[in-house]
Amino acid sequence: MPVDGSFGVKGTTFDAPDLGQVRIREDALVVIDAEGSITQALESDDPGYAETEARLRREGSLTVLGEGQYLFPGFIDLHIHAPQWPQSGTALDVPLAEWLNTYTFPLEARYEDQRFARDVYGSLVESLLANGTTTAVYFATTHLPASRILADLCLQRGQRALVGRVAMDSPETCPDFYRDPSARAAIEDTRALIDYVNGLPGNSGLVRPIVTPRFVPSCTDELLGGLGDVVGETGAHVQTHCSESDWAHGYGLERFGRTDTATYDAFGLLTRRTVLAHSNLITLDDMDTIVAAGAAVAHCPLSNAYFANAVFPLRESLDRGLHVGLGTDISGGPATSIRRTMTDAVVASRMREDGVDATVDPSRRGVAGSRVTLAEAFWMATTGGGVALDLPVGLLSPGYAFDAMIIDTKVEDSDLLLWPSLDTGSDVFEKSMHHATRRNVVRVWVQGSEVRSVTGR
Ligand code: GUN
Ligand code: FE
């Protein structure tokens, strides 16, 4: 092993420095320092390539990708409800408000039980890592002890994570069995989780706290204002749901006479480090407000098909420079992988472009120019997620954390098949993003630490 703890990975890499373009580097040499940050990403004609490769080999610290293996940045999932993991794939038959009351609040209330929390959260972190999700942004529940357990598990397993203790105190929309007893109690617990996560032994920023008002309907003015103060004092990240469905959006409009975006802004909750989930019904003015704040949207296309009543205006948002990344929204979205979410984003945009009602004239059926490409979706799944969080993740470039995965196209029992005589580099990218499953994700690193390694060949 090298004296300084650095190591290298050599092989073909895919990442997306610019929206809409996939960078493909054959035989790239990525050098990572002892802190897990990328110091160099050399191509074979760069000066120093041969010497660096020789040194790493000599020191026994070079991983060379095998035939059919490719290096990708890890995925960034901007929106996950950790406690909803046990109902992923079920409970998709009713609209949002009914879904919350019938299925979701009763399930989330169970996290009073810390053993149940440990069991579920351990399983979720493992599954996400296996799918290549190296950064996860989590809603936990209102329970402080269970929220701490989620942060502990992420740190132990080495997953980069933002963990939020959910705040929800409105007696009008939250049931008696699952509600913060007061705004003050919710604010105190929010501060307590921030202090706990920041003070976790061995945590040098891998796991971070995130202030989490559930959404406008579930929070009193006092709670929204108090959490805004916490954000102002601590500079912590923020996450919430924004203008998700006709009902949720309409509730905020009726209560405040303004959109959710304007409400969050008024309460000090719209910052450079805010992630607004969904945002399907935002207006063009809202987009300007979000762009001015430097805040981000977590686009969750699969969940939106069940709960949002409309398709998020993704093209317009990207074209305005609004920060957009992707979220599974487990369990509103019944899928675990952001790779799947990428293709869902493309499909939703194509259906929005063409429209859906065959009886309507094609000229008026859809929203012209709505489509996004797979390369744009890949940017959102990686680079865009990093931009949204204001963290140096998502790219295989110097200065970024080495959060990465190897996708192996030669594992057994896989539908990811290449025909080397036909497939170009860009074909390898498209096939990988359409067909890879967790079987193909054979090795995962977060901040330079290997967090998963399997052999599927
Ligand atoms: N709005 C408020 N809570 C939730 C939730 O848990 N999931 C989704 N999709 N929307 C919400
Ligand atoms: Fe959600």
Side-chain angles (χ1 to χ4, degrees):
M1 280 299 284
V3 261
D4 66 356
S6 65
F7 67 102
V9 180
K10 182 186 167 189
T12 299
T13 69
F14 294 88
D15 65 355
D18 300 304
L19 179 66
Q21 270 156 28
V22 179
R23 172 169 68 174
I24 307 174
R25 294 173 297 186
E26 281 177 27
D27 282 326
L29 183 59
V30 182
V31 184
I32 299 107
D33 68 16
E35 277 74 50
S37 293
I38 299 170
T39 53
Q40 286 177 290
L42 301 171
E43 294 191 68
S44 52
D45 52 0
D46 284 337
Y49 180 97
E51 295 84 335
T52 307
E53 181 184 357
R55 175 179 65 80
L56 291 166
R57 270 189 204 281
R58 208 168 46 240
E59 293 171 343
S61 57
L62 181 66
T63 294
V64 180
L65 269 53
E67 199 197 331
Q69 294 188 331
Y70 302 94
L71 188 70
F72 287 77
F75 289 134
I76 298 168
D77 190 336
L78 291 181
H79 188 57
I80 304 162
H81 294 271
Q84 296 172 20
W85 179 232
Q87 77 178 8
S88 179
T90 64
L92 297 163
D93 56 331
V94 290
L96 183 60
E98 202 180 336
W99 175 81
L100 288 169
N101 286 312
T102 311
Y103 302 114
T104 302
F105 291 156
L107 174 58
E108 292 195 11
R110 293 185 55 152
Y111 289 76
E112 177 91 53
D113 178 348
Q114 295 177 42
R115 278 183 52 191
F116 181 64
R118 193 172 295 281
D119 196 20
V120 172
Y121 292 166
S123 158
L124 174 60
V125 171
E126 213 55 55
S127 289
L128 290 170
L129 285 173
N131 279 281
T133 297
T134 49
T135 299
V137 185
Y138 291 114
F139 276 59
T141 60
T142 59
H143 312 96
L144 183 58
S147 305
R148 288 190 192 123
I149 287 170
L150 179 55
D152 293 346
L153 287 168
C154 293
L155 189 63
Q156 277 162 26
R157 280 300 284 114
Q159 185 179 48
R160 189 180 306 285
L162 289 90
V163 177
R165 176 245 178 248
V166 174
M168 44 189 280
D169 70 331
S170 170
E172 197 176 302
T173 54
C174 309
D176 292 345
F177 63 83
Y178 187 52
R179 184 176 71 229
D180 284 312
S182 67
R184 218 190 53 197
I187 294 161
E188 265 172 30
D189 274 8
T190 297
R191 285 188 196 278
L193 188 70
I194 292 174
D195 292 342
Y196 178 80
V197 173
N198 286 336
L200 269 177
N203 184 18
S204 44
L206 191 74
V207 181
R208 294 169 186 251
I210 182 164
V211 172
T212 308
R214 185 168 203 125
F215 66 152
V216 164
S218 70
C219 300
T220 61
D221 293 17
E222 188 188 351
L223 179 53
L224 292 169
L227 293 178
D229 292 343
V230 173
V231 171
E233 287 161 33
T234 61
H237 283 81
V238 183
Q239 64 180 344
T240 187
H241 296 89
C242 176
S243 295
E244 177 180 4
S245 69
D246 289 325
W247 165 73
H249 178 65
Y251 189 102
L253 276 180
E254 190 157 314
R255 174 165 147 205
F256 288 111
R258 61 188 179 211
T259 60
D260 286 358
T261 302
T263 294
Y264 293 133
D265 198 22
F267 283 108
L269 291 163
L270 201 69
T271 76
R272 170 67 186 89
R273 293 183 148 197
T274 297
V275 178
L276 302 171
H278 309 297
S279 308
N280 297 70
L281 297 162
I282 56 172
T283 64
L284 294 178
D285 279 351
D286 289 338
M287 286 185 199
D288 291 342
T289 305
I290 297 168
V291 170
V297 167
H299 176 40
C300 309
L302 181 59
S303 168
N304 293 165
Y306 292 100
F307 296 110
N309 314 119
V311 177
F312 172 64
L314 175 58
R315 182 76 272 158
E316 294 87 329
S317 298
L318 289 173
D319 290 349
R320 280 172 168 71
L322 196 152
H323 300 160
V324 189
L326 297 177
T328 53
D329 192 28
I330 290 169
S331 69
T336 312
S337 171
I338 284 293
R339 187 209 57 70
R340 160 82 199 266
T341 308
M342 281 175 52
T343 55
D344 288 336
V346 171
V347 169
S349 78
R350 296 291 285 256
M351 295 189 76
R352 182 172 185 256
E353 176 165 302
D354 279 350
V356 294
D357 184 349
T359 66
V360 174
D361 186 80
S363 64
R364 288 180 292 110
R365 200 181 288 152
V367 182
S370 287
R371 71 175 61 187
V372 300
T373 64
L374 190 66
E376 288 174 316
F378 179 55
W379 181 90
M380 289 189 281
T382 55
T383 314
V387 171
L389 296 173
D390 196 19
L391 295 174
V393 292
L395 273 175
L396 299 171
S397 291
Y400 282 76
F402 188 62
D403 291 10
M405 68 178 135
I406 293 177
I407 291 188
D408 190 340
T409 60
K410 294 207 160 201
V411 297
E412 288 175 6
D413 290 330
S414 157
D415 294 324
L416 172 50
L417 301 169
L418 300 183
W419 309 102
S421 63
L422 296 176
D423 289 327
T424 62
S426 120
D427 294 333
V428 173
F429 163 74
E430 286 189 59
K431 285 187 171 184
S432 297
M433 294 301 102
H434 278 116
H435 293 309
T437 68
R438 59 186 279 168
R439 281 191 63 76
N440 303 100
V441 179
V442 295
R443 208 159 163 191
V444 182
W445 292 266
V446 180
Q447 195 68 49
S449 290
E450 186 180 278
V451 293
R452 189 175 161 86
S453 176
V454 290
T455 47
R457 297 199 185 203

